[in-house]
């Protein structure tokens, strides 16, 4: 737990136990703890504390963990399944969510022991029970859902307008009320717009209800990246939106491990990359939890092979590991392909000057990590909000080329989707991104410029740095008012 000093502003951070949610929140914890007069406690489970502990384990950093035992076996999960990426199969997703809900009781049982008393809860948006905990202890609750303002605004306008209702799956419609003309189809919408199970619908309603009771929202983005969307979203939220990212830039030298033991040493990757020309390598990774049909992944591998560019390919499927050996793929590409089986030191790889393109599933953390290092992207969205992220990168920012994915691959239904993107499509998208003609040069120029702006945003005086100060100041003021009025409750204005 955090330090005992009573003058400190104590922030309680509660991440959702999944890498794409926890990694940015660990970075946020560190960032907050580096600010004057701030101390931080991250509420997590024992295995996650081990997994992410290195991020906070810095001499003198006033940050620590409150570890709550995770009731995995009580809800029918295997022992040690404390993170969404450890789930043996997607049918257990609701069991996992039930175990996460049970953390509320465990947290409240030891809340009074937290010292100094917390003044603010920063909670993952998908932990709606933290709104009740915040009410109970009369604390402001700031939410974090790890996505851009572009995504928040799309979500809001889609919910409000229901413009997609009754349309055939593949008919395009325009998302209303956005600064740009963004076209989508129903089959590209996040699963929350297409819910079939009652339990999931109820869960999402709880999330929405809890969001309305929050004090504001922290966004892992920087204003210059999506200024018009930030402005519009702030109007919707009465100004209580703080863009404090990119959080991946706040990790100093922690880039190698980032939550999991890497399957290859960072040094080996760097040595391999050192031997390649600047800007020549394609890095391909589809995130931490996406489940892709192995036949589809094989097309990805064949596309990389056909591209003639050196590449690093992160493989997370046993069937594909077998295929690369048995088909002779690994042997054929041995002079220009590095295969990583399992977890890659992604941020370190992306930061190497030899990387010239990033083939990504468009998870928001990956997108931002690509933006920060100034590389153009080959976009292959899979599920959740990833098609929206693709629109931002390809259409609004102009730094990406899509492989042509058309449908959300719903979690657990990947087998039924078959092969939709062919190796030829992958090859073509790579060729466009790595192109040395006018379009390719222009795309790279925009990407590099955005990378520089991203790095400036987090520096002293940069937009994200100022927003972080603003957030801390507003929370401090609320705490002062609360102490003065006793019993003040915090609802969204
Ligand atoms: N990541 C990594 N190594 C891997 C796969 C993923 O370091 O082999 C990290 C990646 O850098 C990012 C996070 O895991 O920070 C994935 O989050 P994202 O939002 O991109 O996608 P998700 O996995 O949540 O779909």
């Amino acid at each position: 737990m955090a330090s005992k000093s009573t003058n400190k502003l104590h922030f309680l951070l509660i991440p959702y136990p999944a890498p794409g949610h926890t990694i940015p929140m660990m970075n946020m914890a560190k960032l907050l703890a580096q600010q004057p007069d701030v101390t931080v406690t991250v509420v997590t489970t024992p295995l996650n504390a081990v997994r992410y502990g290195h991020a906070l384990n810095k001499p003198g950093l006033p940050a620590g963990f409150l570890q709550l035992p995770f009731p995995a076996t009580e809800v029918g999960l295997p022992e040690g399944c404390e993170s969404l990426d450890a789930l043996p199969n997607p049918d257990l997703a609701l069991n996992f969510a039930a175990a996460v809900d049970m953390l509320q009781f465990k947290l409240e049982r030891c809340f009074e022991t937290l010292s100094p008393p917390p003044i603010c809860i920063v909670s993952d948006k998908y932990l709606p029970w933290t709104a009740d905990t915040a009410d109970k202890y009369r604390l402001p609750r700031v939410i974090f859902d790890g996505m851009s303002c572009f995504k928040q605004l799309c979500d809001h306008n889609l919910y409000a307008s229901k413009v997609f209702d009754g349309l055939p799956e593949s008919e395009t419609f325009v998302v209303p009320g956005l600064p740009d003309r963004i076209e989508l189809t129903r089959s590209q919408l996040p699963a929350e717009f297409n819910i079939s199970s009652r339990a999931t619908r109820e869960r999402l309603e709880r999330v929405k209800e809890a969001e309305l009771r929050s004090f504001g929202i922290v966004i892992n983005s920087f204003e210059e990246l999506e200024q018009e969307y930030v402005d519009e979203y702030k109007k919707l939220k009465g100004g209580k939106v703080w863009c404090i990212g990119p959080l991946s830039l706040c990790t100093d030298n922690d880039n190698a491990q980032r939550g999991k033991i890497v399957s290859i040493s960072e040094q080996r990757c760097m040595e391999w990359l050192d031997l390649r020309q600047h800007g020549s390598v394609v890095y391909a990774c589809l995130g931490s939890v996406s489940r892709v049909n192995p036949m589809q992944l094989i097309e990805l591998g064949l596309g990389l092979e056909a591209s003639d560019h050196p590449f690093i390919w992160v493989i997370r499927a046993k069937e594909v590991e077998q295929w690369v050996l048995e088909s002779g793929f690994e042997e054929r590409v041995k002079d220009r392909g590095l295969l990583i089986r399992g977890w890659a030191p992604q941020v370190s790889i992306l930061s190497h000057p030899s990387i010239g393109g990033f083939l990504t599933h468009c998870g928001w953390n990956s997108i931002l990590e690509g933006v920060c290092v100034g590389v153009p992207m080959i976009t292959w969205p899979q599920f959740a909000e990833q098609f929206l992220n693709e629109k931002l990168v390809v259409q609004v920012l102009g730094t990406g080329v899509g492989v042509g994915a058309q449908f959300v691959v719903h979690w657990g239904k990947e087998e039924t989707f078959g092969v939709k993107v062919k190796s030829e499509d992958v090859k073509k998208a790579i060729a466009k991104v790595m192109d040395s003609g006018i379009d390719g040069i222009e795309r790279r120029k925009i990407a590099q410029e955005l990378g520089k702006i991203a790095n400036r945003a987090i520096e002293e005086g940069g937009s994200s740095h100022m927003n972080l100060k603003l957030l801390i100041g507003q929370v401090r003021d609320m705490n002062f008012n609360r102490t003065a009025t006793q019993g003040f409750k915090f609802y969204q204005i």
Side-chain angles (χ1 to χ4, degrees), residues 9 144 390:
L9 305 172
F144 175 70
E390 178 184 53

Side-chain angles (χ1 to χ4, degrees), residues 472-491:
I472 295 170
Q474 287 179 310
V475 168
R476 180 189 279 119
D477 291 349
M478 294 206 77
N479 185 50
F480 180 75
N481 292 339
R482 182 175 69 113
T483 320
T485 56
Q486 289 297 323
F488 191 77
K489 277 197 176 185
F490 300 92
Y491 290 102

Side-chain angles (χ1 to χ4, degrees), residues 16-326:
Y16 194 89
H21 293 240
T22 306
I23 292 173
M25 251 183 140
M26 292 307 301
N27 293 336
M28 193 196 303
K30 190 166 159 193
L31 186 65
L32 274 167
Q34 286 166 344
Q35 306 309 309
D37 302 327
V38 171
T39 184
V40 174
T41 298
V42 177
V43 178
T44 192
T45 69
L47 285 182
N48 283 305
V50 172
R51 187 169 169 178
Y52 299 101
H54 63 98
L56 297 189
N57 196 4
K58 312 280 169 208
L61 191 74
F65 289 108
L66 172 64
Q67 297 184 35
L68 305 174
F70 194 69
T73 51
E74 285 173 48
V75 297
L77 297 173
E79 174 119 39
C81 177
E82 297 187 7
S83 178
L84 201 62
D85 59 331
L87 212 60
N89 81 67
D91 295 341
L92 291 169
L94 283 175
N95 305 47
F96 187 79
V100 174
D101 281 352
M102 288 159 77
L103 295 178
Q104 176 180 7
F105 173 71
K106 292 174 194 284
L107 170 61
E108 290 181 5
R109 212 170 39 187
C110 55
F111 207 92
E112 312 278 349
T113 64
L114 290 164
S115 173
I119 62 150
C120 179
I121 291 180
V122 183
S123 159
D124 191 286
K125 176 175 148 182
Y126 293 94
L127 298 172
W129 54 263
T130 57
D132 298 331
T133 306
D135 275 357
K136 191 165 173 179
Y137 296 96
R138 299 200 187 95
L139 294 174
R141 169 180 177 262
V142 173
I143 54 168
F144 175 70
D145 92 340
M147 310 297 166
S148 62
C149 286
F150 175 87
K151 187 264 180 184
Q152 311 296 344
L153 205 59
C154 285
D155 255 14
H156 178 273
N157 294 0
L158 286 167
Y159 267 113
S161 66
K162 297 278 189 302
V163 62
F164 51 87
D165 253 5
L167 291 183
E169 288 267 299
S170 52
E171 187 166 322
T172 50
F173 60 85
V174 178
V175 184
L178 298 182
D180 296 282
R181 182 183 167 85
I182 301 296
E183 289 186 355
L184 285 171
T185 64
R186 256 185 59 209
S187 54
Q188 295 173 330
L189 290 177
E192 59 209 71
F193 291 99
N194 248 326
I195 299 169
S196 48
S197 110
R198 201 173 128 208
T200 312
R201 188 171 311 113
E202 283 172 4
R203 182 160 285 279
L204 278 167
E205 275 161 16
R206 275 179 64 208
V207 169
K208 290 208 161 298
E209 185 271 333
E211 181 177 353
L212 291 175
R213 290 152 67 197
S214 65
F215 172 56
I217 180 163
V218 178
I219 301 278
N220 184 14
S221 182
F222 55 104
E223 297 201 350
E224 296 87 337
L225 184 73
E226 42 164 355
Q227 192 68 61
E228 288 179 284
Y229 292 87
V230 176
D231 294 344
E232 285 301 309
Y233 191 53
K234 276 188 182 170
K235 277 187 215 158
L236 263 180
K237 292 282 167 189
K240 297 285 197 294
V241 176
W242 303 275
C243 294
I244 62 166
L247 291 165
S248 61
L249 289 178
C250 311
T251 54
D252 305 339
N253 298 319
D254 299 333
N255 288 337
Q257 201 145 307
R258 306 177 72 244
K260 227 170 172 172
I261 304 294
V262 288
S263 325
I264 182 168
S265 77
E266 189 185 8
Q267 193 192 346
R268 162 101 177 86
C269 294
M270 296 303 113
E271 284 168 2
W272 189 91
L273 284 162
D274 285 346
L275 297 174
R276 319 285 144 183
Q277 264 183 17
H278 279 199
S280 68
V281 178
V282 175
Y283 169 69
C285 176
L286 300 182
S288 67
V289 286
S290 61
R291 291 164 187 256
V292 185
N293 183 328
M295 296 308 291
Q296 182 62 90
L297 287 171
I298 289 170
E299 288 294 319
L300 162 53
L302 293 172
L304 287 168
E305 182 179 10
S307 78
D308 274 345
H309 283 279
F311 63 86
I312 296 181
W313 180 21
V314 185
I315 305 174
R316 276 191 302 110
K318 289 280 165 256
E319 297 91 327
V320 181
E321 283 184 23
Q322 207 176 329
W323 173 81
V324 297
L325 281 177
E326 290 173 0

